[in-house]
């Protein structure tokens, strides 16, 4: 295996940038949140956050989300953090290939055979094609080509459109240039939240020969067009071996969901269907652009099996929350075993 150690120069640059942009008020607010959740003296939590960020690459929100205040040093060391993930992403994604993941239209062109759904690019002069596409599918998803955190995504119903020329013009003005057929999710996912297509985030690493599944998170929406937290969504971690939920769901805003708020489905009872197919599917898509090795793949399981939504070269981090699941270890050992950093 090649030397995949994270470079000290890159780490120092990252820490210097964080130090320059540090928001003391924000850190103090997070320390207060830690005190409210775990009873830790706020000044102690504040100091520990700063030390953990500088010495162990722990983002302030990671410290809160993963309950570092109640973990031992050895337990903390098992958790993947956003700063470490960002360093890995920068190291294992060739700059000239990142656009294939950053631009949703480019992504669809490259990964078209894995999408398994109809899609259309909105262009000047194709209002008739847009009308035909929308009327064929009834409900469609419109996306801004470059966006983050599920923003720039809207849902439209053909029956609501009375002026197709104006609708087409509006799509162009709002930069909603990618239209997609709505994915039909598996009944097991619809049982949890039928109003949102609930995605599975599979973080994987391609070492040039093998594809390693590092972590699997199941996201659930609240009926909106996206299951991201910015739309009220939350997640639970799934066991990488069999797709069973670790426990209840949670988000980065202090909300814990033993049951889905809208359907009363017990989140800990969830098990992702077609899980072996999902892992095989990711091991196939991860080889398409070998220059981008570390990716967070968003998958939806349909009645026929997995389909691809998008890939994120900045994979982000989804981790276990000890106070919710009772499990006091994270996924970092899996990352280290696969990547060798």
């Amino acid at each position: 295996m090649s030397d995949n150690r994270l470079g000290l120069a890159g780490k120092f640059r990252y820490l210097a940038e964080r130090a320059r942009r540090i928001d003391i008020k924000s850190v103090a607010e997070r320390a207060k949140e830690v005190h409210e959740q775990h009873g830790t003296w706020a000044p102690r939590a504040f100091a520990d956050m700063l030390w953990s960020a500088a010495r162990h690459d722990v983002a302030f929100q990671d410290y809160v989300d993963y309950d570092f205040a109640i973990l031992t040093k050895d337990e903390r060391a098992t958790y993947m953090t956003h700063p470490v993930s960002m360093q890995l992403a920068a190291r294992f994604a060739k700059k000239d290939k990142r656009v294939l993941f950053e631009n949703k239209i480019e992504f669809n062109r490259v990964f078209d055979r894995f999408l398994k759904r109809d899609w259309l690019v909105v262009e000047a002069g194709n209002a008739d094609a847009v009308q035909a596409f929308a009327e064929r599918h009834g409900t469609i998803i419109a996306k801004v080509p470059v966006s983050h955190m599920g923003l720039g995504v809207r849902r439209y119903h053909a029956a609501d459109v009375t002026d197709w020329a104006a609708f087409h013009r509006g799509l162009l003005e709002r930069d909603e240039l990618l239209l997609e057929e709505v994915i039909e999710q598996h009944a097991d996912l619809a049982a949890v939240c039928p109003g949102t297509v609930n995605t599975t985030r599979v973080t994987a690493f391609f070492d040039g020969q093998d594809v390693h599944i590092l972590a699997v998170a199941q996201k659930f929406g609240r009926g909106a067009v996206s299951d991201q937290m910015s739309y009220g969504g939350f997640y639970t971690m799934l066991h990488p071996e069999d797709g069973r939920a670790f426990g209840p769901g949670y988000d980065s805003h202090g909300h814990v969901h033993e049951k889905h708020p809208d359907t009363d489905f017990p989140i800990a009872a969830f098990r992702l269907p077609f899980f072996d197919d999902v892992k095989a599917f990711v091991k196939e898509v991860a080889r398409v652009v070998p220059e981008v090795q570390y990716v967070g793949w968003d998958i939806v399981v349909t009645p026929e099996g997995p389909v691809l939504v998008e890939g994120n070269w900045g994979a982000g981090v989804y981790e276990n929350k000890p106070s919710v699941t009772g499990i006091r270890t994270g996924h970092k050992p899996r990352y280290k075993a696969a990547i060798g950093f």
Side-chain angles (χ1 to χ4, degrees), residues 31 38 42 64-65 71 80-81 83 94 108 167 184 241 262 275 283 302 307 309:
H38 305 297
V64 178
D65 287 347
L71 299 181
M80 194 63 187
T81 65
K94 295 290 182 61
N108 277 20
F167 178 72
E184 179 188 0
E241 288 73 30
D262 305 316
F275 192 65
K283 290 182 179 183
T302 74
V307 302
V309 176

Side-chain angles (χ1 to χ4, degrees), residues 236-247 268 270-272 275:
T236 186
M237 299 305 296
L238 303 183
H239 287 271
E241 288 73 30
D242 58 17
R244 290 181 296 110
F246 273 43
F270 180 79
R271 184 169 183 168
L272 188 66
F275 192 65

Side-chain angles (χ1 to χ4, degrees), residues 237-308:
M237 299 305 296
L238 303 183
H239 287 271
E241 288 73 30
D242 58 17
R244 290 181 296 110
F246 273 43
Y250 43 89
D251 61 21
S252 290
H253 307 295
H255 303 125
V256 176
H257 301 291
E258 292 192 6
K259 296 182 178 181
H260 192 283
D262 305 316
T263 62
D264 284 336
F265 187 99
I267 303 301
F270 180 79
R271 184 169 183 168
L272 188 66
F274 288 111
F275 192 65
D276 287 342
D277 291 353
V278 168
K279 291 189 289 186
F281 183 77
V282 169
K283 290 182 179 183
E284 187 175 2
V285 300
R287 299 173 186 272
V288 175
V289 184
E291 298 89 350
V292 180
Q293 300 170 257
Y294 174 60
V295 179
W297 301 98
D298 283 341
I299 310 293
V300 173
V301 175
T302 74
E304 289 75 42
V307 302
L308 184 60

Side-chain angles (χ1 to χ4, degrees), residues 59-294:
F60 302 133
Q61 192 62 46
D62 291 338
Y63 188 101
V64 178
D65 287 347
Y66 310 141
D67 301 328
F68 269 39
I70 64 172
L71 299 181
T72 67
K73 178 181 177 181
D74 289 344
E75 289 168 342
R76 292 180 179 191
T78 69
Y79 276 78
M80 194 63 187
T81 65
H82 281 83
V84 174
S85 181
M86 290 170 62
Q87 293 173 62
L88 292 174
R91 182 181 178 94
F92 292 107
K94 295 290 182 61
K95 290 184 178 180
D96 62 336
K97 297 295 182 179
R98 295 175 187 177
V99 67
L100 301 180
F101 294 81
E102 294 168 342
N103 186 297
K104 292 177 173 58
I105 293 174
E106 294 301 319
F107 183 86
N108 277 20
R109 287 171 175 155
V110 172
F111 291 92
D112 181 62
R113 68 188 180 94
F114 298 101
L115 304 180
K116 302 181 183 179
R117 62 187 177 279
D118 201 5
W119 59 280
L120 176 74
V121 177
V122 181
E123 301 171 322
N126 74 341
D128 289 344
V130 168
Q131 179 179 353
F133 182 90
E135 291 181 337
R136 181 165 66 253
H137 296 295
T139 300
I140 60 173
I141 303 299
K143 299 179 178 180
V144 173
V146 180
S147 64
H148 305 281
M149 299 185 297
L151 303 177
V153 181
R154 295 184 69 179
R155 184 163 47 197
Y156 294 104
H157 306 287
D160 295 336
V161 181
T162 57
D163 185 335
W164 285 101
F167 178 72
H168 177 263
R169 185 167 57 253
L171 293 174
L172 290 172
E173 291 172 352
R174 294 186 297 273
D175 199 34
E176 296 170 357
L177 304 182
L178 176 60
L179 305 182
E180 294 186 348
E181 173 186 3
V182 176
I183 300 170
E184 179 188 0
Q185 63 186 339
H186 193 281
D188 289 359
L189 287 161
V192 185
C193 178
T196 302
V197 176
N198 304 289
T199 60
T200 306
R201 169 63 64 89
V202 183
T203 305
F205 179 76
F206 178 47
D207 66 11
Q209 294 184 327
D210 298 320
V211 177
H212 305 269
I213 305 297
L214 306 176
V216 185
Q218 180 59 53
K219 295 181 278 186
F220 294 113
R222 295 293 310 278
V225 68
S226 172
D227 57 15
Q228 295 279 30
M229 291 184 200
S230 51
Y231 289 85
F234 59 93
Y235 74 95
T236 186
M237 299 305 296
L238 303 183
H239 287 271
E241 288 73 30
D242 58 17
R244 290 181 296 110
F246 273 43
Y250 43 89
D251 61 21
S252 290
H253 307 295
H255 303 125
V256 176
H257 301 291
E258 292 192 6
K259 296 182 178 181
H260 192 283
D262 305 316
T263 62
D264 284 336
F265 187 99
I267 303 301
F270 180 79
R271 184 169 183 168
L272 188 66
F274 288 111
F275 192 65
D276 287 342
D277 291 353
V278 168
K279 291 189 289 186
F281 183 77
V282 169
K283 290 182 179 183
E284 187 175 2
V285 300
R287 299 173 186 272
V288 175
V289 184
E291 298 89 350
V292 180
Q293 300 170 257
Y294 174 60

